[in-house]
Amino acid sequence: MHPMSPTPSGSLRTTDTGIDLEITRVIAATREDVWASLTESDRTALWFGPWERVSDNDIRARMVFEEGSPWMDMHVEACESPRRLAVTSDGWDLESVLAEDGDRTTVTLIQHMHDAEGLGEIGPGWEYYLDMLIASRDGLTLPNFDDYYPSQQEYYSSLLPR
């Protein structure tokens, strides 16, 4: 098992249009540095995959940690440096919000959803990727997805919106 011993931490919040899955991590770095890990292709390549610009608001990212390393087209809905990045892709509506507190930055990943369908798979996936972000920044061994799924599936499947 990965030294981080992944424990699921996400929560659901009811919204006007459905629910939001929220997962946070605290990183010992400035908000600008964490922002670079979320937006610079050479740094996203370390934990998610590299990306390339297609047009002003469209990119495609290579999912190098997924089977077959597929490309994913994404539309950038908001890029408010260094505090908020929002993208949509093939039915996925994602947002990352960064809040700085001294020498630490809290990253909140939010997936806006209409309902909780697939949450048992989605939650563990985002836990994995956020831990990949931390491991890549700290020079740690990258986590193994098998440590997240299916062990976190029941936790996420049983969440109720608050």
Side-chain angles (χ1 to χ4, degrees), residues 16 20 33 45 48 50 54 57 60 70 82 110-111 124 145-146 156:
D16 292 341
D20 282 354
D33 186 45
F48 187 80
V54 176
N57 293 324
R60 57 187 219 134
I110 305 163
Q111 181 166 347
F145 183 67
D146 293 341
Y156 276 99

Side-chain angles (χ1 to χ4, degrees), residues 101-130:
D101 182 16
D103 60 351
R104 298 166 18 127
T105 299
T106 299
V107 177
T108 303
L109 175 77
I110 305 163
Q111 181 166 347
H112 305 289
M113 305 169 68
H114 295 292
D115 56 45
E117 185 178 338
L119 196 58
E121 292 77 33
I122 294 167
W126 290 127
E127 295 273 3
Y128 166 73
Y129 275 112
L130 286 172

Side-chain angles (χ1 to χ4, degrees), residues 16-110:
D16 292 341
T17 58
I19 57 174
D20 282 354
L21 168 61
E22 297 183 0
I23 305 172
T24 62
R25 294 293 188 273
V26 177
I27 299 174
T30 65
R31 186 164 61 169
E32 288 77 10
D33 186 45
V34 175
W35 178 259
S37 291
L38 297 179
T39 60
E40 294 177 8
S41 180
D42 61 327
R43 293 183 68 178
T44 61
L46 301 174
W47 65 275
F48 187 80
W51 60 271
E52 57 190 37
R53 183 179 302 278
V54 176
S55 66
D56 284 348
N57 293 324
D58 294 301
I59 64 169
R60 57 187 219 134
R62 182 128 201 193
M63 309 285 297
V64 296
F65 299 99
E66 299 292 329
E67 186 175 326
S69 299
W71 285 95
M72 176 189 287
D73 294 326
M74 297 180 167
H75 181 76
V76 179
E77 302 287 339
C79 185
E80 303 163 6
S81 177
R83 64 175 199 83
R84 180 174 171 259
L85 177 65
V87 299
T88 54
S89 177
D90 197 25
W92 294 69
D93 186 351
L94 305 167
E95 184 176 3
S96 295
V97 178
L98 281 62
E100 192 172 60
D101 182 16
D103 60 351
R104 298 166 18 127
T105 299
T106 299
V107 177
T108 303
L109 175 77
I110 305 163

Side-chain angles (χ1 to χ4, degrees), residues 138-160:
D138 293 347
L140 301 173
T141 301
L142 295 178
N144 185 326
F145 183 67
D146 293 341
D147 291 338
Y148 295 79
Y149 183 85
S151 64
Q152 294 183 3
Q153 184 175 19
E154 184 177 333
Y155 171 86
Y156 276 99
S157 294
S158 67
L159 283 182
L160 298 174

